[in-house]
Amino acid sequence: LGYPYESSVLWKVLDTDGDGELTWDEFVDRLTDEFRRRSEGRMDANGDMAKFLQFLDTKFDSSATQEEAAGALRNILLDNTDFAEAVVSEGAVPPLIELMRSPAPEVREAANNALRVIAPPWAERMVGDLQAENPIDREHAARALKKLAALNAEHRRTVVAAGAVVPIVALLRGDCLKCREQACGALSSIVYKNIDHEKLAVQAGVIAALVPLLGDAKKPTPVEVRSEAVKTLGMLVASSPLTQRRIVEAGGIEAFVAVLKVGSPPEQRRAVEALMRLSNVAEYKKLLAKADIAKVCLDFSNFTDDEQARGVAEELRDRFVEKEEAN
């Protein structure tokens, strides 16, 4: 087949029972399980099995079969809505979510039509798992809802209608690192271009939960969590005046300034853009001046390699330097 990697290593990985033999049934069962693990986000993207599945994806075009399968599933469910729970239990939703990334538009359409029927009961089940005792279950549920919400506006509404906002915000306050990371990502998708979803998140306390996750120089937050938290909070800054006020009152200015000092380049870019937005409000501009934002921006501009972020930082600094010179 022209597999480009070491086949002997793959053979050992596929030999589940380690007896040195690989039967056809064993091969099929293992692949079925691995495709499901990949669709659920539980596979090492750089592992030997992930490479093999990617090779199969590129070697064999299965778009026609995928379209037929998704379409048939939808038709069955439309005629027998009582089957929805059984289909959800069999794990049909994660593979359908993956099919929404297909380059073939007909496959995406068929998958979306099937999801319209079974995503709501599945989302409700995932919301229940957000409150599970096992942190792995909570992480898996948050990741799954993040993937569904990231598909389109319709499925974001499905996630919210299932009651996901409050328990996802609660995960931000928990001690499970991976749960917080996935919860931040899910919230980014949920509030994306939807003011009603944003209001629900704010009412659930998302701002007070997010701001501390940006960390500071003395108590840095793990990069995986901070990255998603900066992204989500940056989106909220671009929203309503009331949301901006709540972010500032929760210590958002200080938190964004801290990111400029300790964050990664993408985080720093989002932070300086958020500070620029806040500087458009006279009240917040005074607070930025007290935080010595001109010096912060100057220091940041001198060491960053991100041209876009440097440009925003210099523009922000100029707003305060001009004021100082005028005085």
Side-chain angles (χ1 to χ4, degrees):
L1 294 177
Y3 184 64
Y5 304 104
E6 180 57 53
S7 58
S8 61
V9 174
L10 176 64
W11 182 272
K12 292 179 180 178
V13 173
L14 290 170
D15 185 14
T16 305
D17 57 16
D19 63 358
E21 296 182 356
L22 184 63
T23 66
W24 176 252
D25 288 340
E26 186 179 4
F27 177 73
V28 171
D29 289 345
R30 180 62 187 274
L31 279 190
T32 301
D33 182 58
E34 294 297 340
F35 272 114
R36 175 176 293 184
R37 288 183 67 245
R38 186 178 70 171
S39 69
E40 293 174 348
R42 297 187 292 116
M43 175 178 285
D44 178 6
N46 299 314
D48 294 302
M49 186 56 67
K51 293 177 181 177
F52 183 54
L53 297 190
Q54 181 61 37
F55 166 74
L56 293 178
D57 289 339
T58 56
K59 188 73 175 180
F60 304 101
D61 181 7
S62 57
S63 57
T65 304
Q66 292 170 338
E67 179 189 2
E68 292 175 2
L73 181 60
R74 173 180 177 273
N75 291 335
I76 291 173
L77 290 167
L78 287 177
D79 294 335
N80 304 274
T81 54
D82 292 340
F83 288 174
E85 285 294 338
V87 171
V88 167
S89 297
E90 288 298 319
V93 173
L96 287 170
I97 291 176
E98 290 299 312
L99 289 183
M100 290 288 288
R101 301 178 181 177
S102 170
E106 60 274 11
V107 172
R108 296 197 300 272
E109 181 180 3
N112 194 52
N113 288 335
L115 281 172
R116 285 185 174 127
V117 182
I118 60 173
W122 175 83
E124 292 177 0
R125 183 175 296 190
M126 290 298 101
V127 168
D129 287 348
L130 289 174
Q131 304 165 73
E133 182 177 350
N134 190 332
I136 295 178
D137 292 337
R138 299 198 299 270
E139 176 201 351
H140 172 259
R143 179 187 289 109
L145 291 169
K146 176 182 71 173
K147 287 186 174 182
L148 180 63
L151 294 179
N152 54 43
E154 178 181 4
H155 295 306
R156 284 192 280 279
R157 291 192 293 271
T158 296
V159 171
V160 171
V165 173
V166 171
I168 285 179
V169 170
L171 287 183
L172 298 177
R173 305 188 186 97
D175 56 3
C176 173
L177 178 63
K178 292 185 179 295
C179 293
R180 283 184 285 172
E181 176 187 353
Q182 297 303 323
C184 284
L187 284 166
S188 293
S189 296
I190 287 171
V191 304
Y192 180 68
K193 292 185 178 181
N194 192 306
I195 189 65
D196 292 330
H197 294 177
E198 177 193 309
K199 288 179 180 178
L200 289 174
V202 171
Q203 291 170 2
V206 68
I207 293 173
L210 278 175
V211 170
L213 297 183
L214 270 60
D216 55 47
K218 295 181 179 179
K219 188 179 179 181
T221 299
V223 62
E224 298 87 353
V225 176
R226 187 182 63 225
S227 178
E228 291 290 352
V230 172
K231 177 182 177 182
T232 308
L233 204 59
M235 292 172 60
L236 292 173
V237 166
S239 184
S240 67
L242 178 59
T243 299
Q244 286 186 349
R245 176 169 293 280
R246 292 190 177 184
I247 290 173
V248 172
E249 291 175 346
I253 288 178
E254 296 82 359
F256 282 126
V257 168
V259 171
L260 285 182
K261 298 176 180 178
V262 302
S264 66
E267 296 164 8
Q268 292 169 331
R269 186 185 315 124
R270 291 190 173 103
V272 75
E273 289 172 349
L275 291 169
M276 174 64 84
R277 285 184 180 276
L278 292 174
S279 73
N280 292 325
V281 180
E283 179 184 354
Y284 306 150
K285 190 172 183 180
K286 292 179 181 178
L287 295 176
L288 285 165
K290 290 182 179 179
D292 201 7
I293 194 65
K295 184 179 185 304
V296 171
C297 288
L298 177 61
D299 292 343
F300 173 70
S301 299
N302 287 335
F303 74 75
T304 184
D305 293 325
D306 188 323
E307 293 294 336
Q308 180 179 344
R310 180 186 291 114
V312 177
E314 291 175 348
E315 182 180 351
L316 178 57
R317 176 179 175 271
D318 289 344
R319 293 187 178 187
F320 293 87
V321 171
E322 290 173 2
K323 181 177 180 180
E324 291 173 1
E325 291 175 349
N327 291 336

